[in-house]
Amino acid sequence: TATPDEFYQLDKIYVNGREISGNTFEVEKDSAVWVEFAPIQCTVILNSEGKFSTDAYITVNAGDNLADKLPTPEATVVHTFGGWYDGVGGTGTQYTDASGNSVRVWDKASNVTLYPKWIEKDPVAYTVNHYLQDLDEDSYTLYAAQTMMGVPELSATPSVNSYAGYNSPMLQSVI
């Protein structure tokens, strides 16, 4: 019986130059046996969970290191990439870290979907200053300050204030 090592499957067996089917055979005296094994290949679907323009598909061999095969997605405005996992939402078994380094060999013998783990960026405190333009229109006076929490790179939504004696030429609601 020809038994493949882990991550391999029987490809072909030749006895005395003739290919046989199956993995069990009998040999006669002075027989030549040649066995070929092939790595188990799997299709890996990279589910973007809506963060990329499209899902991707790659082919890997069981036992492969995935570092050179999986893309490392760019961070989004509110999330950073935390690695590829075999569970929805970045749960289950981890295969790469946030930098795309393989943390385990590919140990699957069938087609699998991998999902990115997205880590929400921490909000930071910031201050929105409200200035009033002086009547001569060449300087501004700080009238109020508003401390807020938010994720960097997102738009700020400070309060829109009215001040007696001042008319805004336009309404501003998002900075």
Side-chain angles (χ1 to χ4, degrees):
T1 300
T3 305
D5 289 339
E6 184 180 23
F7 306 132
Y8 286 84
Q9 61 191 356
L10 178 65
D11 190 25
K12 297 176 185 172
I13 298 177
Y14 298 91
V15 176
N16 295 326
R18 207 178 80 227
E19 185 176 355
I20 65 164
S21 61
N23 67 340
T24 304
F25 53 90
E26 291 185 27
V27 290
E28 299 170 11
K29 185 178 177 185
D30 297 327
S31 292
V33 178
W34 178 262
V35 180
E36 293 180 7
F37 296 99
I40 297 170
Q41 286 196 327
C42 308
T43 298
V44 178
I45 300 166
L46 304 174
N47 183 317
S48 70
E49 294 187 329
K51 302 283 193 288
F52 317 150
S53 58
T54 184
D55 292 342
Y57 303 84
I58 62 169
T59 300
V60 298
N61 294 331
D64 277 357
N65 175 324
L66 298 181
D68 297 335
K69 300 188 183 313
L70 297 177
T72 302
E74 299 272 334
T76 68
V77 171
V78 294
H79 295 95
T80 58
F81 176 69
W84 287 103
Y85 291 74
D86 65 4
V88 174
T91 60
T93 303
Q94 182 180 10
Y95 284 89
T96 68
D97 64 15
S99 300
N101 300 312
S102 188
V103 298
R104 66 184 305 120
V105 297
W106 185 250
D107 58 355
K108 307 288 185 186
S110 60
N111 298 340
V112 174
T113 299
L114 292 183
Y115 302 86
K117 179 175 186 172
W118 293 107
I119 302 165
E120 193 168 308
K121 291 180 181 177
D122 292 330
V124 295
Y126 63 94
T127 301
V128 176
N129 292 324
H130 296 261
Y131 289 92
L132 298 178
Q133 187 175 12
D134 293 334
L135 292 177
D136 57 9
E137 298 187 11
D138 64 353
S139 64
Y140 294 85
T141 303
L142 178 62
Y143 184 81
Q146 194 177 3
T147 300
M148 303 181 78
M149 293 291 289
V151 175
E153 302 171 18
L154 286 181
S155 58
T157 310
S159 61
V160 177
N161 301 331
S162 297
Y163 302 104
Y166 290 89
N167 294 320
S168 175
M170 63 182 154
L171 179 64
Q172 295 184 359
S173 60
V174 177
I175 297 175

PDB file of all heavy atoms in Angstrom, residues 32-65:
ATOM      1  N   ALA A  32       9.642  -3.425 -10.472  1.00  0.00           N
ATOM      2  CA  ALA A  32      10.027  -2.032 -10.243  1.00  0.00           C
ATOM      3  C   ALA A  32       8.753  -1.242  -9.952  1.00  0.00           C
ATOM      4  O   ALA A  32       7.806  -1.276 -10.731  1.00  0.00           O
ATOM      5  CB  ALA A  32      10.727  -1.472 -11.466  1.00  0.00           C
ATOM      6  N   VAL A  33       8.736  -0.530  -8.805  1.00  0.00           N
ATOM      7  CA  VAL A  33       7.565   0.255  -8.400  1.00  0.00           C
ATOM      8  C   VAL A  33       7.982   1.722  -8.303  1.00  0.00           C
ATOM      9  O   VAL A  33       8.989   2.061  -7.686  1.00  0.00           O
ATOM     10  CB  VAL A  33       7.020  -0.223  -7.044  1.00  0.00           C
ATOM     11  CG1 VAL A  33       5.835   0.640  -6.617  1.00  0.00           C
ATOM     12  CG2 VAL A  33       6.627  -1.696  -7.104  1.00  0.00           C
ATOM     13  N   TRP A  34       7.188   2.577  -8.932  1.00  0.00           N
ATOM     14  CA  TRP A  34       7.431   4.010  -8.895  1.00  0.00           C
ATOM     15  C   TRP A  34       6.128   4.671  -8.463  1.00  0.00           C
ATOM     16  O   TRP A  34       5.076   4.436  -9.040  1.00  0.00           O
ATOM     17  CB  TRP A  34       7.848   4.502 -10.284  1.00  0.00           C
ATOM     18  CG  TRP A  34       8.078   5.977 -10.339  1.00  0.00           C
ATOM     19  CD1 TRP A  34       7.202   6.925 -10.765  1.00  0.00           C
ATOM     20  CD2 TRP A  34       9.243   6.674  -9.948  1.00  0.00           C
ATOM     21  NE1 TRP A  34       7.738   8.168 -10.665  1.00  0.00           N
ATOM     22  CE2 TRP A  34       9.024   8.044 -10.166  1.00  0.00           C
ATOM     23  CE3 TRP A  34      10.468   6.281  -9.433  1.00  0.00           C
ATOM     24  CZ2 TRP A  34       9.954   9.014  -9.883  1.00  0.00           C
ATOM     25  CZ3 TRP A  34      11.409   7.253  -9.162  1.00  0.00           C
ATOM     26  CH2 TRP A  34      11.157   8.601  -9.382  1.00  0.00           C
ATOM     27  N   VAL A  35       6.184   5.486  -7.410  1.00  0.00           N
ATOM     28  CA  VAL A  35       4.992   6.140  -6.884  1.00  0.00           C
ATOM     29  C   VAL A  35       5.197   7.653  -6.951  1.00  0.00           C
ATOM     30  O   VAL A  35       6.251   8.160  -6.575  1.00  0.00           O
ATOM     31  CB  VAL A  35       4.727   5.715  -5.419  1.00  0.00           C
ATOM     32  CG1 VAL A  35       3.473   6.398  -4.886  1.00  0.00           C
ATOM     33  CG2 VAL A  35       4.597   4.201  -5.314  1.00  0.00           C
ATOM     34  N   GLU A  36       4.169   8.364  -7.431  1.00  0.00           N
ATOM     35  CA  GLU A  36       4.208   9.824  -7.473  1.00  0.00           C
ATOM     36  C   GLU A  36       3.114  10.369  -6.558  1.00  0.00           C
ATOM     37  O   GLU A  36       1.975   9.917  -6.601  1.00  0.00           O
ATOM     38  CB  GLU A  36       3.975  10.330  -8.902  1.00  0.00           C
ATOM     39  CG  GLU A  36       5.087   9.978  -9.858  1.00  0.00           C
ATOM     40  CD  GLU A  36       4.829  10.491 -11.271  1.00  0.00           C
ATOM     41  OE1 GLU A  36       3.846  11.238 -11.479  1.00  0.00           O
ATOM     42  OE2 GLU A  36       5.610  10.120 -12.159  1.00  0.00           O
ATOM     43  N   PHE A  37       3.501  11.337  -5.729  1.00  0.00           N
ATOM     44  CA  PHE A  37       2.561  12.019  -4.850  1.00  0.00           C
ATOM     45  C   PHE A  37       2.496  13.482  -5.266  1.00  0.00           C
ATOM     46  O   PHE A  37       3.479  14.040  -5.746  1.00  0.00           O
ATOM     47  CB  PHE A  37       3.007  11.921  -3.383  1.00  0.00           C
ATOM     48  CG  PHE A  37       3.027  10.511  -2.876  1.00  0.00           C
ATOM     49  CD1 PHE A  37       4.220   9.798  -2.809  1.00  0.00           C
ATOM     50  CD2 PHE A  37       1.863   9.892  -2.465  1.00  0.00           C
ATOM     51  CE1 PHE A  37       4.243   8.496  -2.349  1.00  0.00           C
ATOM     52  CE2 PHE A  37       1.876   8.597  -1.996  1.00  0.00           C
ATOM     53  CZ  PHE A  37       3.072   7.892  -1.933  1.00  0.00           C
ATOM     54  N   ALA A  38       1.352  14.093  -5.055  1.00  0.00           N
ATOM     55  CA  ALA A  38       1.169  15.511  -5.394  1.00  0.00           C
ATOM     56  C   ALA A  38       0.619  16.228  -4.171  1.00  0.00           C
ATOM     57  O   ALA A  38      -0.145  15.651  -3.390  1.00  0.00           O
ATOM     58  CB  ALA A  38       0.191  15.649  -6.566  1.00  0.00           C
ATOM     59  N   PRO A  39       1.005  17.494  -4.003  1.00  0.00           N
ATOM     60  CA  PRO A  39       0.444  18.238  -2.870  1.00  0.00           C
ATOM     61  C   PRO A  39      -1.060  18.409  -3.045  1.00  0.00           C
ATOM     62  O   PRO A  39      -1.564  18.516  -4.163  1.00  0.00           O
ATOM     63  CB  PRO A  39       1.158  19.583  -2.917  1.00  0.00           C
ATOM     64  CG  PRO A  39       1.800  19.668  -4.256  1.00  0.00           C
ATOM     65  CD  PRO A  39       1.922  18.294  -4.800  1.00  0.00           C
ATOM     66  N   ILE A  40      -1.775  18.408  -1.933  1.00  0.00           N
ATOM     67  CA  ILE A  40      -3.215  18.656  -1.964  1.00  0.00           C
ATOM     68  C   ILE A  40      -3.418  20.136  -2.259  1.00  0.00           C
ATOM     69  O   ILE A  40      -2.882  20.993  -1.562  1.00  0.00           O
ATOM     70  CB  ILE A  40      -3.869  18.280  -0.627  1.00  0.00           C
ATOM     71  CG1 ILE A  40      -3.692  16.782  -0.368  1.00  0.00           C
ATOM     72  CG2 ILE A  40      -5.341  18.676  -0.605  1.00  0.00           C
ATOM     73  CD1 ILE A  40      -4.098  16.348   1.031  1.00  0.00           C
ATOM     74  N   GLN A  41      -4.150  20.442  -3.320  1.00  0.00           N
ATOM     75  CA  GLN A  41      -4.407  21.836  -3.692  1.00  0.00           C
ATOM     76  C   GLN A  41      -5.803  22.245  -3.250  1.00  0.00           C
ATOM     77  O   GLN A  41      -6.747  21.460  -3.328  1.00  0.00           O
ATOM     78  CB  GLN A  41      -4.277  22.036  -5.198  1.00  0.00           C
ATOM     79  CG  GLN A  41      -2.855  22.014  -5.681  1.00  0.00           C
ATOM     80  CD  GLN A  41      -2.737  22.587  -7.074  1.00  0.00           C
ATOM     81  OE1 GLN A  41      -3.628  22.450  -7.892  1.00  0.00           O
ATOM     82  NE2 GLN A  41      -1.617  23.242  -7.331  1.00  0.00           N
ATOM     83  N   CYS A  42      -5.906  23.470  -2.783  1.00  0.00           N
ATOM     84  CA  CYS A  42      -7.182  24.015  -2.311  1.00  0.00           C
ATOM     85  C   CYS A  42      -7.396  25.395  -2.917  1.00  0.00           C
ATOM     86  O   CYS A  42      -6.443  26.138  -3.127  1.00  0.00           O
ATOM     87  CB  CYS A  42      -7.174  24.176  -0.794  1.00  0.00           C
ATOM     88  SG  CYS A  42      -6.695  22.718   0.101  1.00  0.00           S
ATOM     89  N   THR A  43      -8.645  25.709  -3.151  1.00  0.00           N
ATOM     90  CA  THR A  43      -8.994  27.077  -3.535  1.00  0.00           C
ATOM     91  C   THR A  43      -9.367  27.821  -2.262  1.00  0.00           C
ATOM     92  O   THR A  43     -10.182  27.349  -1.471  1.00  0.00           O
ATOM     93  CB  THR A  43     -10.171  27.094  -4.520  1.00  0.00           C
ATOM     94  OG1 THR A  43      -9.779  26.407  -5.704  1.00  0.00           O
ATOM     95  CG2 THR A  43     -10.593  28.514  -4.855  1.00  0.00           C
ATOM     96  N   VAL A  44      -8.746  28.969  -2.062  1.00  0.00           N
ATOM     97  CA  VAL A  44      -9.037  29.800  -0.899  1.00  0.00           C
ATOM     98  C   VAL A  44      -9.759  31.047  -1.403  1.00  0.00           C
ATOM     99  O   VAL A  44      -9.235  31.774  -2.249  1.00  0.00           O
ATOM    100  CB  VAL A  44      -7.747  30.189  -0.149  1.00  0.00           C
ATOM    101  CG1 VAL A  44      -8.072  31.102   1.029  1.00  0.00           C
ATOM    102  CG2 VAL A  44      -7.003  28.944   0.310  1.00  0.00           C
ATOM    103  N   ILE A  45     -10.954  31.252  -0.896  1.00  0.00           N
ATOM    104  CA  ILE A  45     -11.735  32.437  -1.233  1.00  0.00           C
ATOM    105  C   ILE A  45     -11.434  33.474  -0.163  1.00  0.00           C
ATOM    106  O   ILE A  45     -11.548  33.192   1.033  1.00  0.00           O
ATOM    107  CB  ILE A  45     -13.236  32.117  -1.261  1.00  0.00           C
ATOM    108  CG1 ILE A  45     -13.525  31.031  -2.295  1.00  0.00           C
ATOM    109  CG2 ILE A  45     -14.064  33.380  -1.534  1.00  0.00           C
ATOM    110  CD1 ILE A  45     -14.903  30.414  -2.174  1.00  0.00           C
ATOM    111  N   LEU A  46     -11.019  34.650  -0.578  1.00  0.00           N
ATOM    112  CA  LEU A  46     -10.742  35.739   0.347  1.00  0.00           C
ATOM    113  C   LEU A  46     -11.966  36.643   0.368  1.00  0.00           C
ATOM    114  O   LEU A  46     -12.183  37.433  -0.545  1.00  0.00           O
ATOM    115  CB  LEU A  46      -9.490  36.500  -0.082  1.00  0.00           C
ATOM    116  CG  LEU A  46      -8.237  35.628  -0.219  1.00  0.00           C
ATOM    117  CD1 LEU A  46      -7.094  36.433  -0.787  1.00  0.00           C
ATOM    118  CD2 LEU A  46      -7.867  35.012   1.114  1.00  0.00           C
ATOM    119  N   ASN A  47     -12.793  36.493   1.390  1.00  0.00           N
ATOM    120  CA  ASN A  47     -14.027  37.262   1.515  1.00  0.00           C
ATOM    121  C   ASN A  47     -13.687  38.618   2.096  1.00  0.00           C
ATOM    122  O   ASN A  47     -13.203  38.724   3.214  1.00  0.00           O
ATOM    123  CB  ASN A  47     -15.002  36.514   2.419  1.00  0.00           C
ATOM    124  CG  ASN A  47     -16.331  37.206   2.535  1.00  0.00           C
ATOM    125  OD1 ASN A  47     -16.406  38.421   2.685  1.00  0.00           O
ATOM    126  ND2 ASN A  47     -17.390  36.435   2.479  1.00  0.00           N
ATOM    127  N   SER A  48     -13.938  39.651   1.367  1.00  0.00           N
ATOM    128  CA  SER A  48     -13.544  41.002   1.788  1.00  0.00           C
ATOM    129  C   SER A  48     -14.474  41.597   2.836  1.00  0.00           C
ATOM    130  O   SER A  48     -14.167  42.640   3.405  1.00  0.00           O
ATOM    131  CB  SER A  48     -13.499  41.925   0.578  1.00  0.00           C
ATOM    132  OG  SER A  48     -14.814  42.164   0.106  1.00  0.00           O
ATOM    133  N   GLU A  49     -15.609  40.959   3.079  1.00  0.00           N
ATOM    134  CA  GLU A  49     -16.621  41.490   3.990  1.00  0.00           C
ATOM    135  C   GLU A  49     -16.961  42.947   3.647  1.00  0.00           C
ATOM    136  O   GLU A  49     -17.119  43.797   4.512  1.00  0.00           O
ATOM    137  CB  GLU A  49     -16.185  41.341   5.448  1.00  0.00           C
ATOM    138  CG  GLU A  49     -16.096  39.884   5.858  1.00  0.00           C
ATOM    139  CD  GLU A  49     -15.836  39.662   7.335  1.00  0.00           C
ATOM    140  OE1 GLU A  49     -15.174  40.491   7.986  1.00  0.00           O
ATOM    141  OE2 GLU A  49     -16.323  38.633   7.827  1.00  0.00           O
ATOM    142  N   GLY A  50     -16.996  43.222   2.336  1.00  0.00           N
ATOM    143  CA  GLY A  50     -17.397  44.537   1.854  1.00  0.00           C
ATOM    144  C   GLY A  50     -16.332  45.609   1.923  1.00  0.00           C
ATOM    145  O   GLY A  50     -16.580  46.754   1.597  1.00  0.00           O
ATOM    146  N   LYS A  51     -15.111  45.269   2.316  1.00  0.00           N
ATOM    147  CA  LYS A  51     -14.059  46.279   2.469  1.00  0.00           C
ATOM    148  C   LYS A  51     -13.206  46.451   1.208  1.00  0.00           C
ATOM    149  O   LYS A  51     -12.458  47.396   1.105  1.00  0.00           O
ATOM    150  CB  LYS A  51     -13.144  45.920   3.644  1.00  0.00           C
ATOM    151  CG  LYS A  51     -13.844  45.781   4.979  1.00  0.00           C
ATOM    152  CD  LYS A  51     -14.181  47.098   5.604  1.00  0.00           C
ATOM    153  CE  LYS A  51     -14.577  47.018   7.038  1.00  0.00           C
ATOM    154  NZ  LYS A  51     -15.855  46.447   7.351  1.00  0.00           N
ATOM    155  N   PHE A  52     -13.268  45.491   0.262  1.00  0.00           N
ATOM    156  CA  PHE A  52     -12.535  45.617  -0.997  1.00  0.00           C
ATOM    157  C   PHE A  52     -13.555  45.750  -2.111  1.00  0.00           C
ATOM    158  O   PHE A  52     -14.735  45.552  -1.913  1.00  0.00           O
ATOM    159  CB  PHE A  52     -11.690  44.380  -1.332  1.00  0.00           C
ATOM    160  CG  PHE A  52     -10.917  43.764  -0.224  1.00  0.00           C
ATOM    161  CD1 PHE A  52     -10.669  42.407  -0.242  1.00  0.00           C
ATOM    162  CD2 PHE A  52     -10.415  44.495   0.827  1.00  0.00           C
ATOM    163  CE1 PHE A  52      -9.936  41.813   0.762  1.00  0.00           C
ATOM    164  CE2 PHE A  52      -9.691  43.913   1.830  1.00  0.00           C
ATOM    165  CZ  PHE A  52      -9.452  42.563   1.800  1.00  0.00           C
ATOM    166  N   SER A  53     -13.053  46.009  -3.309  1.00  0.00           N
ATOM    167  CA  SER A  53     -13.958  46.125  -4.446  1.00  0.00           C
ATOM    168  C   SER A  53     -14.510  44.764  -4.867  1.00  0.00           C
ATOM    169  O   SER A  53     -15.580  44.676  -5.417  1.00  0.00           O
ATOM    170  CB  SER A  53     -13.244  46.791  -5.623  1.00  0.00           C
ATOM    171  OG  SER A  53     -12.106  46.048  -5.983  1.00  0.00           O
ATOM    172  N   THR A  54     -13.774  43.700  -4.600  1.00  0.00           N
ATOM    173  CA  THR A  54     -14.232  42.368  -4.991  1.00  0.00           C
ATOM    174  C   THR A  54     -13.558  41.317  -4.119  1.00  0.00           C
ATOM    175  O   THR A  54     -12.507  41.559  -3.539  1.00  0.00           O
ATOM    176  CB  THR A  54     -13.930  42.098  -6.481  1.00  0.00           C
ATOM    177  OG1 THR A  54     -14.472  40.825  -6.840  1.00  0.00           O
ATOM    178  CG2 THR A  54     -12.434  42.099  -6.760  1.00  0.00           C
ATOM    179  N   ASP A  55     -14.174  40.148  -4.034  1.00  0.00           N
ATOM    180  CA  ASP A  55     -13.535  39.034  -3.345  1.00  0.00           C
ATOM    181  C   ASP A  55     -12.475  38.449  -4.268  1.00  0.00           C
ATOM    182  O   ASP A  55     -12.523  38.635  -5.473  1.00  0.00           O
ATOM    183  CB  ASP A  55     -14.564  37.961  -2.980  1.00  0.00           C
ATOM    184  CG  ASP A  55     -15.553  38.439  -1.917  1.00  0.00           C
ATOM    185  OD1 ASP A  55     -15.250  39.435  -1.232  1.00  0.00           O
ATOM    186  OD2 ASP A  55     -16.605  37.808  -1.778  1.00  0.00           O
ATOM    187  N   ALA A  56     -11.514  37.737  -3.701  1.00  0.00           N
ATOM    188  CA  ALA A  56     -10.426  37.165  -4.490  1.00  0.00           C
ATOM    189  C   ALA A  56     -10.358  35.660  -4.258  1.00  0.00           C
ATOM    190  O   ALA A  56     -10.867  35.147  -3.261  1.00  0.00           O
ATOM    191  CB  ALA A  56      -9.102  37.819  -4.098  1.00  0.00           C
ATOM    192  N   TYR A  57      -9.713  34.984  -5.180  1.00  0.00           N
ATOM    193  CA  TYR A  57      -9.525  33.540  -5.087  1.00  0.00           C
ATOM    194  C   TYR A  57      -8.060  33.242  -5.334  1.00  0.00           C
ATOM    195  O   TYR A  57      -7.461  33.806  -6.242  1.00  0.00           O
ATOM    196  CB  TYR A  57     -10.358  32.820  -6.157  1.00  0.00           C
ATOM    197  CG  TYR A  57     -11.822  33.129  -6.086  1.00  0.00           C
ATOM    198  CD1 TYR A  57     -12.354  34.260  -6.699  1.00  0.00           C
ATOM    199  CD2 TYR A  57     -12.685  32.293  -5.397  1.00  0.00           C
ATOM    200  CE1 TYR A  57     -13.704  34.547  -6.624  1.00  0.00           C
ATOM    201  CE2 TYR A  57     -14.035  32.572  -5.323  1.00  0.00           C
ATOM    202  CZ  TYR A  57     -14.548  33.692  -5.940  1.00  0.00           C
ATOM    203  OH  TYR A  57     -15.885  33.972  -5.865  1.00  0.00           O
ATOM    204  N   ILE A  58      -7.487  32.370  -4.522  1.00  0.00           N
ATOM    205  CA  ILE A  58      -6.117  31.922  -4.760  1.00  0.00           C
ATOM    206  C   ILE A  58      -6.081  30.411  -4.608  1.00  0.00           C
ATOM    207  O   ILE A  58      -6.955  29.817  -3.978  1.00  0.00           O
ATOM    208  CB  ILE A  58      -5.099  32.581  -3.794  1.00  0.00           C
ATOM    209  CG1 ILE A  58      -5.416  32.212  -2.350  1.00  0.00           C
ATOM    210  CG2 ILE A  58      -5.045  34.082  -3.986  1.00  0.00           C
ATOM    211  CD1 ILE A  58      -4.323  32.603  -1.373  1.00  0.00           C
ATOM    212  N   THR A  59      -5.079  29.788  -5.203  1.00  0.00           N
ATOM    213  CA  THR A  59      -4.871  28.351  -5.048  1.00  0.00           C
ATOM    214  C   THR A  59      -3.627  28.146  -4.210  1.00  0.00           C
ATOM    215  O   THR A  59      -2.592  28.754  -4.466  1.00  0.00           O
ATOM    216  CB  THR A  59      -4.701  27.677  -6.428  1.00  0.00           C
ATOM    217  OG1 THR A  59      -5.880  27.913  -7.197  1.00  0.00           O
ATOM    218  CG2 THR A  59      -4.495  26.183  -6.279  1.00  0.00           C
ATOM    219  N   VAL A  60      -3.758  27.303  -3.187  1.00  0.00           N
ATOM    220  CA  VAL A  60      -2.628  27.008  -2.313  1.00  0.00           C
ATOM    221  C   VAL A  60      -2.488  25.502  -2.177  1.00  0.00           C
ATOM    222  O   VAL A  60      -3.440  24.755  -2.377  1.00  0.00           O
ATOM    223  CB  VAL A  60      -2.780  27.649  -0.916  1.00  0.00           C
ATOM    224  CG1 VAL A  60      -2.845  29.157  -1.008  1.00  0.00           C
ATOM    225  CG2 VAL A  60      -3.986  27.108  -0.184  1.00  0.00           C
ATOM    226  N   ASN A  61      -1.287  25.079  -1.837  1.00  0.00           N
ATOM    227  CA  ASN A  61      -1.041  23.677  -1.535  1.00  0.00           C
ATOM    228  C   ASN A  61      -1.095  23.478  -0.036  1.00  0.00           C
ATOM    229  O   ASN A  61      -0.617  24.320   0.733  1.00  0.00           O
ATOM    230  CB  ASN A  61       0.342  23.240  -2.034  1.00  0.00           C
ATOM    231  CG  ASN A  61       0.444  23.265  -3.535  1.00  0.00           C
ATOM    232  OD1 ASN A  61      -0.542  23.076  -4.242  1.00  0.00           O
ATOM    233  ND2 ASN A  61       1.637  23.509  -4.041  1.00  0.00           N
ATOM    234  N   ALA A  62      -1.688  22.374   0.404  1.00  0.00           N
ATOM    235  CA  ALA A  62      -1.670  22.049   1.826  1.00  0.00           C
ATOM    236  C   ALA A  62      -0.212  22.019   2.274  1.00  0.00           C
ATOM    237  O   ALA A  62       0.659  21.531   1.558  1.00  0.00           O
ATOM    238  CB  ALA A  62      -2.342  20.704   2.059  1.00  0.00           C
ATOM    239  N   GLY A  63       0.054  22.592   3.439  1.00  0.00           N
ATOM    240  CA  GLY A  63       1.417  22.660   3.954  1.00  0.00           C
ATOM    241  C   GLY A  63       2.157  23.925   3.581  1.00  0.00           C
ATOM    242  O   GLY A  63       3.261  24.165   4.060  1.00  0.00           O
ATOM    243  N   ASP A  64       1.557  24.758   2.707  1.00  0.00           N
ATOM    244  CA  ASP A  64       2.209  26.006   2.289  1.00  0.00           C
ATOM    245  C   ASP A  64       2.259  27.016   3.427  1.00  0.00           C
ATOM    246  O   ASP A  64       1.382  27.056   4.290  1.00  0.00           O
ATOM    247  CB  ASP A  64       1.447  26.661   1.127  1.00  0.00           C
ATOM    248  CG  ASP A  64       1.811  26.098  -0.227  1.00  0.00           C
ATOM    249  OD1 ASP A  64       2.697  25.240  -0.307  1.00  0.00           O
ATOM    250  OD2 ASP A  64       1.176  26.531  -1.221  1.00  0.00           O
ATOM    251  N   ASN A  65       3.257  27.882   3.352  1.00  0.00           N
ATOM    252  CA  ASN A  65       3.325  29.086   4.169  1.00  0.00           C
ATOM    253  C   ASN A  65       2.564  30.134   3.372  1.00  0.00           C
ATOM    254  O   ASN A  65       2.836  30.344   2.200  1.00  0.00           O
ATOM    255  CB  ASN A  65       4.795  29.475   4.350  1.00  0.00           C
ATOM    256  CG  ASN A  65       4.986  30.765   5.080  1.00  0.00           C
ATOM    257  OD1 ASN A  65       4.219  31.708   4.929  1.00  0.00           O
ATOM    258  ND2 ASN A  65       6.027  30.823   5.866  1.00  0.00           N
TER     259      ASN A  65
END
